[in-house]
Amino acid sequence: MIDARTDVAPRSRRILVARDPRLSTCDALVQGLEPLIEDVELVEAYSVEAARSWAKGGPFDLCLVCLDLPPAPRGGARLAKELMRRGQQVVLITRSLRWLPAEDLELRSLPWIVPEADPTSVLVFLKKEAAPVASPSRTRAKTLPPMTERERPAANET
């Protein structure tokens, strides 16, 4: 049965995360966002088509686009450009910009973070006039486990 309640208030902030669900590289980043930000609607899109569909439904405060989104890296790059043209704020998730064509200055000008980034690093990209972030006591209660050696970026990836 579908919940058709109309008394539910819309979320204050909307964040779109477009990523490949088969890879765990963005898991800690995504899982850390929800407890960090009050009243967030965190939408995960696992394909370019799904992200397009969500974007048609209304604006997002922030769009995080992983370059691993299939077909990598063209899928994520194409989606990032489309979202930019819609006036969305886009941040790439990647370990390096080497996957982007050197002549594509529009994409290369986007901010980017590594998949292993601390979720708090995303806060600087959110619009200032949106709802407040969670209180410090709330964020301390939900800490992420330390990265394992396998999850740490290689020396040449930092």
Side-chain angles (χ1 to χ4, degrees):
M1 184 168 135
I2 297 175
D3 184 5
R5 290 178 36 194
T6 57
D7 62 335
V8 177
R11 299 292 184 157
S12 301
R13 293 190 183 193
R14 295 182 76 213
I15 299 176
L16 173 69
V17 181
R19 67 187 188 111
D20 187 342
R22 299 168 297 174
L23 303 176
S24 63
T25 51
C26 297
D27 286 353
L29 177 65
V30 174
Q31 291 167 1
L33 289 176
E34 202 161 25
L36 186 64
I37 305 167
E38 291 180 4
D39 271 342
V40 67
E41 178 185 0
L42 191 61
V43 175
E44 291 188 70
Y46 298 130
S47 69
V48 172
E49 294 76 24
R52 284 180 184 141
S53 178
W54 276 105
K56 288 178 185 174
F60 285 89
D61 295 294
L62 182 63
C63 298
L64 301 172
V65 179
C66 183
L67 289 183
D68 286 336
L69 188 67
R74 290 185 316 271
R78 186 174 58 239
L79 175 63
K81 282 185 121 167
E82 289 176 23
L83 292 170
M84 286 174 55
R85 289 186 186 119
R86 289 175 181 249
Q88 299 289 308
Q89 182 177 4
V90 178
V91 174
L92 299 175
I93 302 174
T94 183
R95 286 191 180 91
S96 141
L97 295 180
R98 71 176 183 241
W99 304 110
L100 300 176
E103 66 276 1
D104 195 335
L105 300 179
E106 184 180 33
L107 277 177
R108 288 182 166 273
S109 70
L110 287 174
W112 60 282
I113 57 175
V114 294
E116 302 82 10
D118 184 321
T120 59
S121 65
V122 173
L123 298 178
V124 298
F125 301 111
L126 286 171
K127 297 177 182 174
K128 302 258 187 275
E129 65 273 5
V133 295
S135 66
S137 61
R138 183 175 171 193
T139 57
R140 264 188 251 122
K142 300 269 189 170
T143 57
L144 296 174
M147 285 192 287
T148 64
E149 199 57 42
R150 184 178 75 76
E151 295 171 321
R152 294 186 195 284
N156 63 349
E157 293 178 330
T158 59

